[in-house]
Amino acid sequence: MRRRNGMDTIFYNGVIRTLDKAYPQVSAMAVKDGVILRLGTDQEVLSLADANTKKIDLEGRLMLPGFSDTHLHMLFYATFKRRIDLVDTTSYEEVVRLCKADAEKARKENRWVIGCNFNQVNWSDVNKIPDRHDLDAIAADVPVFLQRACGHIVCLNTKALQLAGLWDERADTTQHTMDFGEDGLPNGYVRENSAMCVQSCWERFTVNDIKEMLVTVCKEAASKGIVQVHSDDFNLVADDDFADVIQAYKELAEEGRLPIRVNEQIRFRRAEQIQRFLDMGYRANDTLGRFKFGPIKFLCDGSLGSHSAAMRQPYRNDPGTKGLLLFGDEELYELAELAYTNSFHLVAHCIGDAALEQMLNTIQRVSRTHPYPDRRNGIIHCQIMDQAQQDRFKEMNLVAYVQPVFLKADSKVVDDCVGPELGRQSYNWRRYEDLGVHMCGGSDCPVEPFDVLPNLYYAVTRRDGRNGPQWYPENGVTLEEAVEMFTSEAAYASYDEDRYGTLTVGKYADLVVLDRNIFERPLEELFDTQVMLTMVEGEIVYQRG
Ligand SMILES: [Zn+2]
């Protein structure tokens, strides 16, 4: 094939904010072979077109570098999407309707009907937990599994009991935690550990399932202007699923089917898992097409809402607990050392200040014992902290992975949990900027949706929801800084700042076009702003309408 001289795509008549300080705003851009070749005025850039160039009139719209979400769980999100969320049901009749509709699809797709989060107390018609007979009436030929919101009891229809191997159980012989009817047969209620065993019957995914789930979520992310995610996918159902997940990414790469870039946050909790992974031969920043092996990740504590985040002082509103560290100090150090000496940088989920302290000490010790240049270690969430801990981010050149959208839930509870003195020092994004700490943004989807534009709103306004009350507004960042958190800073965190993250000649054309100029509109409009087009490596991966 003879190579053309003309450009593949030219965007013109736009407001192109490059985030490149040398060349902050232009109106036109030329792309060839996936790379930005020229930025300038319409006249300059359009002169590079030939008959085959695709010319896109931006009609005055705003173009930015494509967005990144630097912490989410794509596969968890995909499994959630396959379930029916019954949390808002107000009658059993509504449950029946939702499950029957899903059973139609499940029958064709040869899968289970999975409903979760019901609470019969909220139903206006029947206040009983549905049993086997009730669920058989919904669908007898499709397995049905409904989980109560508490998570401690599930109900199954006959088909599901059969597939789960529970149908032949009897009250006097069973080892399982389940209930029986007057006829001596299982009535469909399964409790506690036995319920989790049932879960493994339907939550078993083939490599093909995983591939389809990933492609679906990546396409949805592309529709939100996202060109790169940092995703934690290696623990899908069990701890040891990661070989299948890697295989799925490998096949997607070979088939060229991954629409966006994925930087894996490789979560492990045992040395033998890390060793087994290392024995596969992968090292940090190895790539499979658009997939990249990122940092090794440790989950160091729980969550604020459940008071399981590990604190140095007892919870003010729950003085009997300080939360829970999930690793001992030496245990964590040994895992960190194994990863670190095998090329990997480290990230850790730390929400409480005790978990943060433990991980700061771990990273400090491992990086002093084994000094390597340019290890971009980081802390995911890093919510509760004092200024002395925040200063260590700068000293140790740590990346702060924050989720501004968490304010929606957390701004109501932080001061109750830790008191206003520590609350004010926590989630202090302004101070990271002032210290010159690398800070990037994310959603922790499925905890929160991966819509970047509302996330920008929370970062800047510190409001609890659209036009909601503000929480320490002085700790917010500017809109420009917020956009950097979801673009150039994210690219830095994955060692990709030379490839994308700003719109710069020589970098990949990874970009998003919005329907309005968010820098000139009221911040509330971030909730209404539409993504018009998303491009990865010169390829349009989403276009509205
Ligand atoms: Zn997470």
Side-chain angles (χ1 to χ4, degrees), residues 71 73 297 349 381 444:
H71 178 60
H73 306 262
K297 179 192 167 192
H349 160 123
H381 307 310
D444 205 12

Side-chain angles (χ1 to χ4, degrees), residues 170-183:
R170 293 297 174 264
D172 49 349
T173 55
T174 186
Q175 304 294 313
H176 290 280
T177 322
M178 51 194 289
D179 295 9
F180 296 87
E182 282 169 11
D183 54 6

Side-chain angles (χ1 to χ4, degrees), residues 71-73 76 232 265 267 297 299 349 380-381 403 406 443-447:
H71 178 60
L72 49 73
H73 306 262
F76 279 149
D232 168 346
Q265 292 174 337
R267 176 153 56 95
K297 179 192 167 192
L299 186 75
H349 160 123
I380 298 173
H381 307 310
Q403 294 73 36
F406 276 14
S443 66
D444 205 12
C445 177
V447 176

Side-chain angles (χ1 to χ4, degrees), residues 381-429:
H381 307 310
C382 41
Q383 288 166 213
I384 306 302
M385 67 173 67
D386 63 20
Q387 291 196 349
Q389 291 179 313
Q390 197 173 22
D391 289 340
R392 293 177 73 186
F393 277 73
K394 180 62 187 168
E395 289 158 27
M396 294 162 64
N397 195 29
L398 298 181
V399 178
Y401 293 78
V402 307
Q403 294 73 36
V405 63
F406 276 14
L407 280 199
K408 222 168 42 167
D410 292 356
S411 61
K412 298 181 197 72
V413 301
V414 172
D415 288 353
D416 292 343
C417 290
V418 303
E421 185 58 34
L422 192 54
R424 187 179 300 112
Q425 297 175 75
S426 301
Y427 304 69
N428 191 342
W429 310 320

Side-chain angles (χ1 to χ4, degrees), residues 149-168:
C150 65
H152 295 287
I153 184 167
V154 301
C155 29
L156 309 184
N157 69 351
T158 306
K159 181 85 177 171
L161 285 163
Q162 288 166 344
L163 289 174
L166 297 175
W167 180 241
D168 295 326

